[in-house]
Amino acid sequence: MGATEAPPALKLGVQDAIAGLALSTEAHWNQTEEDWRIFLRDGIVFGIRDGARLVATAALLPYSGNNAWISMVLVSATHRRRGLATRLVDACLDTARKNGLTSWLDATPDGAAVYGPLGFTPTLQLRRLKLARPARAEAPPLSLATLDALAMRDRRASGFDRTALLSAFAQRPGSRIVGTDGAIALLRDGRTARHIGPLLADDTAAALALVDSIVRSETSPLLLDAVASQAAFLEGLTASGWTVERPFQRMRFGPATVTGKESPFAVAGPEFG
């Protein structure tokens, strides 16, 4: 594909999950094949191919209340700086506009510099943290919580009804919905690390106590996408060995249609919101 050519942006299907996974793996992201299947089954994923090879993607995942999440904006290293990501994000925005949807995304600092001029407005900030080697210790078993309890609390925090997404997460092998007094979280497998989120809690102490209980029950590396405004929570995590990997800036394109009644301590991930 020459630099001046304009390959078509195509809608992808569930048969493209493995090809999408190859792109996110090249970028060292934590997505699994099942994550890709959620976007391909429940959302709209645009892609660009070079011959038979998928070289760029962007996804639009609808939520309730006329909202949708833009994510999985990926371009293979061999095809960058050709405007492919911009074309695919434009395709997502055009689809959202035609369907009356407000679009959201979580951008890296470089991405935020691109999305701002397109009309995206910054909202909250996130910090991705990693615990490379949980120090498993003897601990009482974690109390399991229900999907209904998690979905209700998640809806109160985000303003979106994401029962279908959380149910898909919870049904995977290895997933757990866990809770302590005043806190609840979902724990699921990723490609290279287990992911904690969303995490909702009454206060910082309850949030940190639940994370500590999860850490003591795990042996795999852990990831968590914390809300930056929860400063005491972030300080507690870093003091206990978590390291900040990168920031993300949540941004919105279009009018605000929902308002959360509480702030989460950690989100489901930049790809899901």
Side-chain angles (χ1 to χ4, degrees), residues 43-127:
I44 300 171
V45 183
F46 295 99
I48 292 174
R49 302 183 191 277
D50 183 358
R53 180 186 168 212
L54 184 65
V55 296
T57 59
L60 184 72
L61 185 64
Y63 287 145
S64 65
N66 296 325
N67 292 276
W69 218 264
I70 295 176
S71 53
M72 311 312 284
V73 181
L74 288 155
V75 180
S76 176
T78 58
H79 289 70
R80 291 174 188 161
R81 301 186 183 281
R82 305 186 189 185
L84 302 187
T86 300
R87 288 186 56 216
L88 293 177
V89 170
D90 283 345
C92 290
L93 287 173
D94 185 56
T95 301
R97 279 191 292 264
K98 288 177 179 177
N99 289 278
L101 303 175
T102 291
S103 297
W104 300 74
L105 55 76
D106 291 325
T108 63
D110 287 345
V114 174
Y115 298 130
L118 295 179
F120 281 86
T121 302
T123 58
L124 60 80
Q125 292 189 354
L126 306 173
R127 299 289 184 268

Side-chain angles (χ1 to χ4, degrees), residues 137-190:
E138 291 297 325
L142 280 167
S143 298
L144 298 181
T146 66
L147 173 64
D148 285 346
L150 178 65
M152 180 178 66
R153 188 106 191 224
D154 180 74
R155 183 164 57 250
R156 191 167 71 195
S158 68
F160 307 140
D161 182 356
R162 304 194 299 178
T163 303
L165 173 68
L166 298 175
S167 177
F169 285 160
Q171 291 173 18
R172 297 180 187 178
S175 291
R176 294 185 289 168
I177 300 173
V178 296
T180 58
D181 288 341
I184 190 169
L186 190 145
L187 179 66
R188 70 183 194 273
D189 283 344

Side-chain angles (χ1 to χ4, degrees), residues 98-268:
K98 288 177 179 177
N99 289 278
L101 303 175
T102 291
S103 297
W104 300 74
L105 55 76
D106 291 325
T108 63
D110 287 345
V114 174
Y115 298 130
L118 295 179
F120 281 86
T121 302
T123 58
L124 60 80
Q125 292 189 354
L126 306 173
R127 299 289 184 268
R128 166 154 288 191
L129 293 98
K130 184 173 185 177
L131 187 65
R133 292 186 177 86
R136 184 167 184 169
E138 291 297 325
L142 280 167
S143 298
L144 298 181
T146 66
L147 173 64
D148 285 346
L150 178 65
M152 180 178 66
R153 188 106 191 224
D154 180 74
R155 183 164 57 250
R156 191 167 71 195
S158 68
F160 307 140
D161 182 356
R162 304 194 299 178
T163 303
L165 173 68
L166 298 175
S167 177
F169 285 160
Q171 291 173 18
R172 297 180 187 178
S175 291
R176 294 185 289 168
I177 300 173
V178 296
T180 58
D181 288 341
I184 190 169
L186 190 145
L187 179 66
R188 70 183 194 273
D189 283 344
R191 187 181 63 85
T192 62
R194 301 263 281 163
H195 194 278
I196 301 171
L199 167 60
L200 301 311
D202 293 343
D203 52 42
T204 299
L208 289 172
L210 181 54
V211 171
D212 180 66
S213 296
I214 292 171
V215 167
R216 289 190 290 155
S217 71
E218 290 287 322
T219 56
S220 300
L222 294 168
L223 292 177
L224 181 151
D225 294 300
V227 175
S229 60
Q230 301 282 15
F233 179 61
L234 276 168
E235 290 171 5
L237 292 176
T238 55
S240 62
W242 290 77
T243 57
V244 177
E245 284 202 325
R246 65 179 67 90
F248 290 99
Q249 175 67 65
R250 180 157 295 180
M251 308 182 82
R252 186 187 70 245
F253 187 97
T257 62
V258 294
T259 303
K261 296 181 180 179
E262 65 176 273
S263 176
F265 283 83
V267 301

